[in-house]
């Protein structure tokens, strides 16, 4: 599922709960965000199984639209009128076929000037490629994807520096690298570029971890996580044991995100952790601090203690003070049931976080958070928040000036 500093461009990340506190963070005497779900979303269509969302101008009208990966149901495409008012145009714009859709990437794969969409699927092992017809309607190009797998994560990036976006897929099994021929057709170069290794991967995150100008790969797993270092040409070496501090206890990571949390000029790492399929896995999220060369130390002591099942994390400047704060999406009920509040951890500017849950958004914003998107969708210059909730109401929150 969503992803990295590359996927932060597409902003696919997850949200939900922790405890409630008295409102102490306010802007102009009120909360930072207003819930506009009922007035600006086709909200009845979004009480669905949203696993991920991605935001992009899909019909090239200058306004950001939303594509939602809908588990075991047809995917949802919401079109923006320019003021953050969205209509559901799925039936006329994108093939309506139910898959176990999990994660989304957007890129102009065929280099024709418009954005295309890749959506990977888990249980039915069908990865969906949708080719833009130039007007924000899409045709099925799935035959261009040469691999199948039990897939949970996708990132898109020009990994071999030839000007065309390639595709990296995280699987239960061997992860994949697919190289684009420049026309939106892909060749499987997994073994040459990754080597053979088997993981139960939930998230892939591309970032320049070692400050050498290329994109390295963080792999979030059910089990030990990995760090693969790029040689500059899109070939990767597993240097996890040399660079990552491991816990003695089991760890089950659902999402990996990166940001410079301590303002020292390098990217730090946050793991969003759960206890879902790995017995005795510690739920505590984990913060890793970069020494500037891609060697990490454990900075989890700088996070609030939590026992949430965090199915997603996001770095975002929620209080508009210039540093990166954290939102997490938790589903704490049995069998992934029950709606949970969203957790917010505020950065003091030096990478030390305090719990500010319940102080930025209305208390009614609860769910089974699986993705957070942070982007200005109504054109007022203030970033807004779209929350994808698996099996409960998705939300749209407008940021206040």
């Amino acid at each position: 599922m969503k992803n990295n500093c590359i996927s932060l461009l597409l902003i696919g990340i997850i949200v939900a709960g922790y405890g409630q506190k008295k409102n102490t963070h306010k802007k102009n005497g009120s909360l930072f965000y207003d819930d506009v779900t009922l007035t600006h979303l086709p909200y009845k269509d979004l009480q669905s199984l949203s696993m991920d969302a991605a935001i992009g101008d899909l019909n090239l009208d200058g306004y950001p639209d939303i594509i939602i990966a809908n588990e075991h149901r047809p995917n949802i495409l919401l079109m923006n009128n320019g003021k953050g008012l969205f209509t559901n145009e799925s039936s006329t714009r994108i093939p309506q076929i139910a898959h176990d859709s999990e994660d989304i990437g957007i890129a102009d794969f065929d280099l024709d000037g418009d954005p295309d969409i890749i959506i990977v699927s888990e249980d039915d092992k069908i990865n969906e490629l949708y080719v833009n017809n130039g007007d924000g309607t899409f045709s099925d190009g799935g035959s261009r994807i040469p691999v199948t797998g039990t897939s949970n994560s996708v990132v898109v990036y020009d990994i071999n520096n030839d000007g065309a976006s390639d595709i990296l897929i995280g699987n239960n099994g061997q992860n994949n690298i697919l190289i684009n021929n420049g026309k939106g057709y892909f060749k499987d170069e997994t073994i040459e570029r990754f080597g053979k290794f088997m993981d139960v991967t939930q998230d892939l995150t591309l970032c320049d971890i070692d400050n050498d100008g290329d994109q390295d790969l963080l792999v979030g797993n059910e089990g030990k996580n990995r760090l693969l270092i790029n040689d500059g040409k899109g070939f990767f070496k597993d240097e996890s044991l040399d660079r990552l501090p491991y816990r003695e206890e089991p760890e089950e990571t659902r999402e990996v995100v990166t940001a410079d949390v301590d303002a020292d000029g390098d990217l730090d790492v946050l793991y969003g952790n759960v206890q879902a399929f790995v017995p005795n896995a510690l739920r505590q999220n984990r913060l890793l601090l970069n020494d500037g060369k891609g060697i990490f130390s454990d900075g989890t002591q700088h996070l609030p203690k939590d026992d949430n099942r965090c199915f997603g994390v996001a770095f975002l400047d929620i209080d508009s003070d210039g540093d990166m704060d954290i939102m997490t999406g938790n589903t704490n009920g049995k069998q992934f049931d029950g709606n949970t509040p969203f957790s917010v951890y505020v950065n003091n500017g030096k990478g030390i976080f305090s719990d500010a849950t319940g102080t930025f958004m209305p208390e009614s914003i609860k769910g089974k958070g699986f993705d957070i998107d942070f982007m200005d969708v109504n054109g007022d210059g203030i970033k807004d928040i779209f929350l994808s909730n698996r099996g409960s109401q998705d939300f749209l929150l407008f940021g206040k000036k």
Side-chain angles (χ1 to χ4, degrees):
M1 330 197 110
K2 222 98 105 71
N3 297 286
N4 54 2
C5 47
I6 293 301
S7 56
L8 280 176
L9 298 175
L10 304 175
I11 318 201
I13 312 178
I14 299 174
V15 181
Y18 202 73
Q20 294 290 329
K21 288 190 173 184
K22 183 179 179 181
N23 290 341
T24 56
H25 293 81
K26 294 187 177 183
K27 179 177 284 192
N28 298 328
S30 62
L31 298 174
F32 275 57
Y33 296 89
D34 285 331
D35 180 8
V36 297
T37 301
L38 298 184
T39 57
H40 286 72
L41 290 180
Y43 65 94
K44 292 182 179 179
D45 298 341
L46 302 181
Q47 297 169 13
S48 56
L49 294 172
S50 303
M51 298 296 293
D52 184 40
I55 297 180
D57 181 7
L58 299 177
N59 61 349
L60 301 179
D61 65 353
Y63 309 131
D65 310 302
I66 301 174
I67 175 74
I68 298 171
N70 198 12
E71 189 178 43
H72 302 299
R73 302 178 185 182
N75 298 315
I76 296 172
L77 184 54
L78 304 180
M79 307 306 292
N80 189 347
N81 75 342
K83 298 181 180 179
L85 180 65
F86 291 87
T87 55
N88 185 356
E89 300 185 13
S90 309
S91 63
T92 59
R93 290 186 177 272
I94 196 165
Q96 292 293 278
I97 303 171
H99 294 296
D100 185 17
S101 300
E102 296 286 328
D103 201 28
I104 304 169
I106 298 176
D108 181 7
F109 293 119
D110 52 7
L111 301 181
D112 65 350
D114 52 46
D116 310 301
I117 300 169
I118 175 75
I119 303 177
V120 297
S121 299
E122 187 179 21
D123 291 346
D124 62 350
K125 302 181 181 181
I126 296 176
N127 296 322
E128 308 160 71
L129 179 66
Y130 295 119
V131 180
N132 198 325
N133 299 317
D135 59 357
T137 65
F138 294 84
S139 300
D140 185 359
S143 62
R144 303 182 183 195
I145 303 298
V147 298
T148 61
T150 304
S151 304
N152 285 297
S153 181
V154 62
V155 290
V156 296
Y157 186 72
D158 179 12
I159 206 69
N160 62 344
N161 302 313
D162 67 350
S165 293
D166 309 302
I167 297 173
L168 287 72
I169 301 175
N171 295 315
N172 183 342
Q174 174 72 54
N175 294 332
N176 298 122
I177 295 185
L178 308 181
I179 299 299
N180 191 341
N181 72 348
K183 298 180 180 181
Y185 291 83
F186 296 87
K187 179 183 178 183
D188 182 7
E189 296 189 6
T190 296
I191 301 305
E192 304 96 298
R193 294 179 179 274
F194 269 160
K196 292 182 179 181
F197 58 87
M198 305 293 284
D199 287 326
V200 181
T201 295
Q202 291 291 343
D203 197 29
L204 299 177
T205 296
L206 281 170
C207 271
D208 185 6
I209 288 299
D210 52 4
N211 285 325
D212 66 351
D214 56 42
Q215 297 293 310
D216 309 301
L217 186 67
L218 287 156
V219 184
N221 290 326
E222 294 178 16
K224 289 188 178 298
N225 297 318
R226 293 184 190 268
L227 174 53
L228 308 181
I229 298 299
N230 192 339
D231 70 351
K233 298 179 181 179
F235 294 85
F236 293 85
K237 180 181 179 182
D238 187 350
E239 298 187 8
S240 309
L241 293 177
D242 295 330
R243 293 178 179 271
L244 297 179
Y246 283 110
R247 284 173 165 166
E248 293 183 2
E249 302 87 354
E251 188 163 36
E252 182 179 355
T253 297
R254 291 289 301 201
E255 190 146 16
V256 187
V257 293
T258 61
D260 181 7
V261 302
D262 49 8
D264 64 352
D266 53 47
L267 292 172
D268 309 299
V269 174
L270 179 66
Y271 293 143
N273 289 331
V274 301
Q275 185 189 75
F277 304 108
V278 177
N280 302 315
L282 292 184
R283 296 185 183 186
Q284 172 70 51
N285 294 333
R286 197 145 69 103
L287 179 65
L288 304 184
L289 300 177
N290 194 336
D291 71 348
K293 299 179 181 179
I295 307 294
F296 291 88
S297 60
D298 197 321
T300 304
Q301 69 273 15
H302 298 317
L303 298 177
K305 291 184 178 180
D306 74 76
D307 193 37
N308 296 311
R309 292 195 308 175
C310 176
F311 283 87
V313 293
F315 280 121
L316 70 174
D317 185 7
I318 196 168
D319 53 5
S320 302
D321 67 349
D323 55 41
M324 299 306 290
D325 310 302
I326 296 169
M327 291 186 69
T328 75
N330 313 309
T331 301
N332 290 343
K334 293 182 179 180
Q335 301 299 317
F336 311 112
D337 199 10
N339 291 332
T340 309
F342 297 91
S343 295
V344 176
Y345 303 145
V346 174
N347 192 340
N348 72 346
K350 299 179 181 180
I352 299 175
F353 295 85
S354 58
D355 187 358
T357 300
T359 67
F360 288 90
M361 301 174 292
E363 292 184 3
S364 59
I365 304 299
K366 300 179 182 179
K368 304 168 187 175
F370 267 64
D371 193 54
I372 306 164
D373 292 278
F374 191 55
M375 181 178 284
D376 178 15
V377 300
N378 61 353
D380 66 354
I382 305 298
K383 288 189 177 180
D384 311 301
I385 301 176
F386 182 77
L387 307 176
S388 301
N389 287 301
R390 182 184 182 273
S392 58
Q393 179 68 59
D394 294 345
F395 293 104
L396 178 62
L397 307 173
F398 280 175
K400 293 185 177 183
K401 292 185 179 180

